[in-house]
Amino acid sequence: MNLVFVRDWDDGYYVEKLRELGLRIRGSASTALAGQNTELLQQVARESEDDTIYRLDEGVEGVLAEFCAEWGRERSFVLVAEGLPGGREVFPHSAHEGEAEFVLIVDPVDGTRSLMFDKRAAWTLCAVAPMPSEGMPTSRDIRVAVQTEIPTTRQCLAAQIWAVAGGGTTAEMHDLRTGHVSGFEPRPSRASGLQNGFAGFAKFFPEGKTRIAELEWELFQRVLPPNATDRVFDDQYVSSGGQLYELIVGHDLFVADIRSVLFAREGRGGLCPHPYDLCTEMIAREAGVIVTGLDGQTLDFSLDTTTPVGWAGYANEQLRALVEPHLLDIVRSI
């Protein structure tokens, strides 16, 4: 793409900004979990065209707005996030979109449904892409991405992980009791098959679950040795960022989310991932995970809040070679 001149573009600067944003949101959400009745956090605040906004989500929106107002005094940019009119907002408010130097796409709490019940950690996902001379950037233009774990009240450790395009992945583990920070190296699994590992299709909600499970079963019958199907474990982590993290650190072998294709071909609506849910997929790729669209190509989606996104993630190339031909065939057959 043709980029406008961006003054003082420095990947390290954006890494630190996005890390700060993630930690601020973590602090706000953790305080809310510790200090409020979880039944209050589970209440629906409002419905938007892109997702349902719960009280927990609403509580961190103020943190995001404050951070963007502060950053807007340094740089002009477009914020893309759910709950905004039209899905985006220009900072500073005195600027026009054509003056923006970059796009910041954020999912403040990816995994709200699990976190608001204090069941499982959620993630703050954020990424930046330079603004092109015309139009908006896409996911392929993202230069820096950071995801920050928002822990349950029972966790004493929480991760923060980030990547710069072409620069690999960096990861830290934060001890929430002592404040100690230690680095760790992400290690996707080197398994060559799915037996005795975690793998499967996303099927979080009743809508489409039966059909998705049937297609998942068909895939396993194709790729597993006879009688091995019952030794593939299913972990429904209701967070796209969480699913990516499980691939990055070697917990999961294969994940696919086919809801966008299934719902489109059935001619009906249904909840599925949006661009903000996958805005940090570059981190997984930089760590060695193979992340693709449901056509087998590198993901390339608009940076907005409404485009349905289907995707697949493989821990390594051997697993991709084993699974992908059958997955693509099954997706085409829907």
Side-chain angles (χ1 to χ4, degrees), residues 32 44 53 61 66 101 144-145 155 167 187 190 217 247 286:
V44 174
I53 309 299
E61 286 179 344
E66 180 181 17
E101 299 177 23
V144 175
Q155 281 182 245
R187 292 182 181 274
R190 298 179 181 177
W217 173 251
L247 288 164
E286 289 289 338

Side-chain angles (χ1 to χ4, degrees), residues 4 35 94 125 137 182 208 217 236 273 313:
V4 296
S94 59
L125 312 178
S182 57
W217 173 251
Q236 294 294 308

Side-chain angles (χ1 to χ4, degrees), residues 5 8 22 29 33 41 47 55 106 133 143 156 162 217 225 238-239 254-255 328:
F5 173 74
D8 302 326
L33 279 173
L41 300 177
E47 297 281 356
R55 293 296 180 192
V106 180
S133 55
R143 283 286 312 166
C156 60
W162 63 92
W217 173 251
V238 192
S239 164
F254 159 72
V255 177
L328 298 185

Side-chain angles (χ1 to χ4, degrees), residues 59 72 101 106 112-113 131 139 143 169 188 198 211 220 265 282 287 292-293 295:
E101 299 177 23
V106 180
T112 301
R113 290 161 182 81
M131 182 66 84
S139 60
R143 283 286 312 166
T169 297
F198 285 92
R211 182 60 178 144
F220 288 158
R265 293 184 183 170
M282 180 187 73
T292 72
D295 56 0

Side-chain angles (χ1 to χ4, degrees), residues 161-163 167-170 185-189 244 247-249 281-290 315:
I161 187 166
W162 63 92
T169 297
T170 305
E185 182 179 352
R187 292 182 181 274
S189 174
L244 289 168
L247 288 164
I248 290 168
V249 297
E281 58 87 25
M282 180 187 73
I283 300 175
R285 288 189 287 107
E286 289 289 338
V289 174
I290 297 88

